[in-house]
Amino acid sequence: MANLSPQTLLSRAQKHIKKNELEDAIGLYQAIIDKYPGNVRARKGLEKVEAMKFCSEAGAQSALEQINTLLEIYNQGMFNQAVDFAEKLLKIHPSNSDIWNIYGGANRALKNKDKAIRGFHKACQLDPNNSSKHNNLGAALEETGRTGEAIASYKRSLNINPNNALVHYNLGNILSGQKKYKDAVTSYLRAVELKPDYEWAYRALSGVYESLGTFDKAIEAHLKVINLASGDTAAHEAALLKLNRIICDWNEASKYQNALFNYQNSAAAIPPSRMLSIYDDPHQQLLWSKKWAEGQYKQVPLELPSRPQKSERLRIGYFSSDFHEHATMFLMSGLLRCHDKTRIEVFAYSYGSNKNGTCRENAEKVVEHFFDVADDGDLDIVKLARSHELDIAIDLKGYTGDTRSEIFQYRLAPLQIAYLGYPGSMGAPFIDYIIADPVVVPVEHYEHYSEKIITLPHCYQPNDNMRKISSTENSRKDEGLPEDGFVFCSFNSSYKISSVEFDIWMRLLDRVKGSVLWLINSNRWVKTNLEREASKRGIDPRRLIFAKQAPQADHLARHKHADLFLDSFNCNAHTTASDALYAGLPIVTKIGEQFAARVAASLLTAVGLPELITYSIHDYEQMALELATNSQRLKEVRSKLSRNIKTEPLFDTERYTRNFESALFSSHSLFLSGHKPQDILVTEKPVTT
């Protein structure tokens, strides 16, 4: 055999294979490789025959048996073994689309995204008329953020089989993620038309209807979810409770009130923000947040590349969908403007679809590095942010609408901070700190947060002292208000209002003759439902005045027509409260337990009006009544507020920014010293003249 040519030995090996003499074939291939290490044909032949031997030993003889064995391994959830077996089979059957499809599925389950796409793509090439395989490719592409390619795959799948409910559902999901809600509705409706018991499609349909503001249809779809769901429905009922709260239909909401308590013991999860206005308990909110985080975030953090211990300037990145005319930017514009660029290098990553307005223009001007990543996939954003070697990544959304907090699970920076957007703990292991103050999170409440607490000296909330208030000559009459009479005001979103607050407000209207209650017309059901509730309490519904949405400067200006702002309880006025105070309108609040229920108290403390903080429902009502019936007392309060706007910390943007930056440097210094995150109390340096 030593004198035989490689070609002769290769030919003999092939004869052994045909006779199923696999060991002899392996011996010949190995002999060729030993003598001719660069012989590619021998190496490929050896790989193939070893795979054949493996499959033979596995008990599968025919190609069909081999594929069935592979499918059985996959269906048992043995994904690593499925990948290994598929790779061996592909050496024998490289043109079998089913093997490539299972290979793609196993890699997708293992989060090997590139290999999954390769497997599904090859399966589609080999079997181009298979609807299911194009759907699989679309799903894998979607998971890597390649949304355009994913949509194309879904559409190819539907061209082959337009009656595949799963593909319509998947297409609806990606359209919803792109904020193309009307198109998403079309896809979801087709999915439930084809599959009337499609619970997940009804869930998604409810969500897009909610995003579109068609809350009646959202509720209808969610009732379908409850009817279709098997077993525990507490989470669905809790979500339905929130939907009814949005339209102030407290009769329907009361039907699901028990779901709140059932949900505490439920294994299911819903976005934690749904619960903030319904239940005031920081520990329970933490448990719900942990439940959500455990279900949503499965990615193991990626290892950060090594970098110099300390950069010339502290690099911070803000991540949000709200770089436009939004409450977050109304608050943050001053902070972004006032950052000390000699010490801090600011990066902003905007993933929102709204790219217009003054706030957006200003942010792009004052932020040193501004990136629009709205069309980028998660991994693309992660790669971009990591390339900037951020020291601190700041999540401005948390569990609020249009969030992409999931990108933080990959670890964007050595330190990751939750700030401003979500008033509570995220319960997520990848968020190191939360920005707070002594009122919203007192020391005795630290145990209710998975994050370490950074306590700013006055208020956690930034404010812009250069916000514009329109110079308008309009009158109360122009706003639909009586020229005379006391105007109670509550511009909070409708979901924050419960029957508890409304009972008090109606009693105040009853006791303060000629008074009215000025509210925001949040949606088209609110006016009808609240007018009905007023009538039930013996109050003429015409005493409820509903304001339309207005541009920010005009909205601030119209506060001058109100006499007193009445706060909600479980979830206070937040930006709405700073709007009122900035415009010179006093607020009466009742401080609660959780972060969301203590924000107005924090603002009042920082503006030097702690006397307007009450600690019980009774005291809240009595305080509001006293201010409404004692004009001298109210005048004193308004005068004090007018003075304090200019002198107290709440609207001192420069002062806030320096304290905020001190917090960032403190957290980073701990990191550089090798310490794990720990609670930080920011001490304000005395101002010298």
Side-chain angles (χ1 to χ4, degrees), residues 430-618:
F430 50 81
I431 298 296
D432 305 303
Y433 291 101
I434 183 172
I435 303 288
D437 64 54
V439 177
V440 290
V441 185
V443 173
E444 60 270 24
H445 286 188
Y446 283 11
E447 63 183 326
H448 305 314
Y449 294 80
S450 61
E451 305 87 353
K452 294 301 180 182
I453 312 298
I454 295 177
T455 302
L456 299 183
H458 304 295
C459 183
Y460 83 100
Q461 188 190 88
N463 271 285
D464 184 1
N465 57 8
M466 293 181 65
R467 290 168 73 185
K468 293 181 180 179
I469 301 178
S470 295
S471 298
T472 175
E473 300 300 325
N474 75 335
S475 65
R476 279 188 169 191
K477 185 177 180 181
D478 295 326
E479 297 289 345
L481 299 167
E483 292 291 352
D484 299 312
F486 196 90
V487 177
F488 292 105
C489 165
S490 186
F491 286 154
N492 274 327
S493 296
S494 56
Y495 70 88
K496 296 184 179 183
I497 304 170
S498 76
S499 59
V500 176
E501 292 97 330
F502 200 73
D503 284 343
I504 297 170
W505 299 348
M506 293 304 98
R507 287 198 296 269
L508 289 170
L509 291 187
D510 183 54
R511 298 177 71 177
V512 181
K513 301 306 177 186
S515 62
V516 297
L517 176 61
W518 198 13
L519 302 160
I520 286 287
N521 196 10
S522 300
N523 58 69
R524 64 186 175 89
W525 296 272
V526 164
K527 185 174 185 293
T528 300
N529 288 333
L530 289 185
E531 287 179 341
R532 183 189 68 236
E533 294 294 334
S535 294
K536 284 167 59 176
R537 291 160 175 80
I539 299 297
D540 185 343
R542 290 176 295 182
R543 294 176 69 185
L544 272 57
I545 313 299
F546 292 88
K548 297 178 180 178
Q549 301 289 340
Q552 176 66 7
D554 294 344
H555 174 63
L556 291 174
R558 66 184 171 187
H559 282 78
K560 67 185 179 184
H561 300 308
D563 294 301
L564 184 65
F565 191 108
L566 300 173
D567 198 14
S568 52
F569 297 159
N570 292 346
C571 191
N572 292 166
H574 294 179
T575 307
T576 313
S578 52
D579 286 348
L581 294 171
Y582 187 64
L585 180 62
I587 299 171
V588 175
T589 191
K590 180 187 77 67
I591 192 169
E593 293 298 314
Q594 63 193 15
F595 192 129
R598 303 173 71 88
V599 171
S602 170
L603 295 168
L604 285 167
T605 301
V607 82
L609 283 172
E611 61 266 33
L612 297 185
I613 303 169
T614 65
Y615 295 84
S616 70
I617 289 174
H618 174 269

Side-chain angles (χ1 to χ4, degrees), residues 186-249:
T186 300
S187 292
Y188 291 139
L189 286 175
R190 182 63 177 144
V192 297
E193 179 185 356
L194 292 166
K195 187 179 178 183
D197 62 347
Y198 204 158
E199 178 190 338
W200 282 97
Y202 277 112
R203 286 193 196 190
L205 190 58
S206 178
V208 291
Y209 277 140
E210 184 176 349
S211 297
L212 287 167
T214 49
F215 297 108
D216 54 343
K217 291 184 178 180
I219 290 169
E220 182 182 344
H222 216 85
L223 285 169
K224 272 282 192 181
V225 173
I226 291 175
N227 291 334
L228 290 169
S230 57
D232 185 0
T233 62
H236 304 314
E237 291 172 352
L240 194 56
L241 170 59
K242 173 66 181 295
L243 284 170
N244 280 288
R245 284 284 295 271
I246 289 172
I247 64 172
C248 294
D249 189 343

Side-chain angles (χ1 to χ4, degrees), residues 2 28 46 54 71 76 90 158 170 193 228 270 301 318 322 362 364-365 392 459 467 469 510 525 556 560 600 641 688:
L28 284 172
L46 180 60
F54 175 88
L71 186 60
Q76 289 176 356
L90 288 170
L158 291 173
N170 285 341
E193 179 185 356
L228 290 169
I270 59 174
Y318 292 109
D322 297 334
N362 289 341
E364 290 181 351
K365 285 179 185 176
I392 300 174
C459 183
R467 290 168 73 185
I469 301 178
D510 183 54
W525 296 272
L556 291 174
K560 67 185 179 184
L641 173 58
T688 58

Side-chain angles (χ1 to χ4, degrees), residues 251-479:
N251 288 334
E252 284 298 314
S254 65
K255 296 178 182 178
Y256 301 101
Q257 195 66 37
N258 289 337
L260 176 64
F261 304 102
N262 295 333
Y263 178 53
Q264 292 176 14
N265 300 314
S266 169
I270 59 174
S273 59
R274 291 185 180 273
M275 308 308 294
L276 288 177
S277 63
I278 296 172
Y279 200 60
D280 179 17
D281 183 334
H283 181 66
Q284 187 60 57
Q285 296 293 350
L286 172 62
L287 296 180
W288 285 329
S289 288
K290 283 184 173 180
K291 183 188 298 185
W292 179 255
E294 288 168 1
Q296 291 293 307
Y297 305 126
K298 306 290 189 182
Q299 175 65 43
V300 176
L302 303 177
E303 185 175 346
L304 285 163
S306 59
R307 63 177 75 174
Q309 273 286 294
K310 192 172 184 180
S311 54
E312 191 172 317
R313 293 183 291 165
L314 189 69
R315 294 183 173 186
I316 64 170
Y318 292 109
F319 295 77
S320 181
S321 63
D322 297 334
F323 289 99
H324 60 94
E325 304 300 294
H326 185 278
T328 297
M329 282 302 107
F330 296 149
L331 297 175
M332 275 195 66
S333 291
L335 172 64
L336 296 178
R337 183 181 66 247
C338 293
H339 268 311
D340 182 353
K341 295 177 177 59
T342 66
R343 304 178 69 216
I344 291 183
E345 189 173 2
V346 179
F347 296 75
Y349 306 84
S350 173
Y351 52 78
S353 57
N354 189 334
K355 305 175 185 183
N356 302 311
T358 303
C359 284
R360 175 59 169 246
E361 292 173 5
N362 289 341
E364 290 181 351
K365 285 179 185 176
V366 302
V367 171
E368 196 167 348
H369 309 284
F370 192 98
F371 301 93
D372 187 334
V373 294
D375 297 326
D376 293 354
D378 289 355
L379 291 177
D380 293 327
I381 299 175
V382 171
K383 183 178 180 181
L384 176 66
R386 282 169 154 249
S387 74
H388 298 146
E389 296 188 334
L390 300 176
D391 296 305
I392 300 174
I394 301 174
D395 183 6
L396 294 173
K397 292 299 296 180
Y399 299 138
T400 57
D402 299 330
T403 184
R404 289 183 72 174
S405 293
E406 61 270 17
I407 60 178
F408 282 79
Q409 67 184 316
Y410 293 93
R411 183 60 66 172
L412 304 174
L415 296 176
Q416 302 193 143
I417 298 177
Y419 175 51
L420 195 59
Y422 183 70
S425 177
M426 289 182 65
F430 50 81
I431 298 296
D432 305 303
Y433 291 101
I434 183 172
I435 303 288
D437 64 54
V439 177
V440 290
V441 185
V443 173
E444 60 270 24
H445 286 188
Y446 283 11
E447 63 183 326
H448 305 314
Y449 294 80
S450 61
E451 305 87 353
K452 294 301 180 182
I453 312 298
I454 295 177
T455 302
L456 299 183
H458 304 295
C459 183
Y460 83 100
Q461 188 190 88
N463 271 285
D464 184 1
N465 57 8
M466 293 181 65
R467 290 168 73 185
K468 293 181 180 179
I469 301 178
S470 295
S471 298
T472 175
E473 300 300 325
N474 75 335
S475 65
R476 279 188 169 191
K477 185 177 180 181
D478 295 326
E479 297 289 345

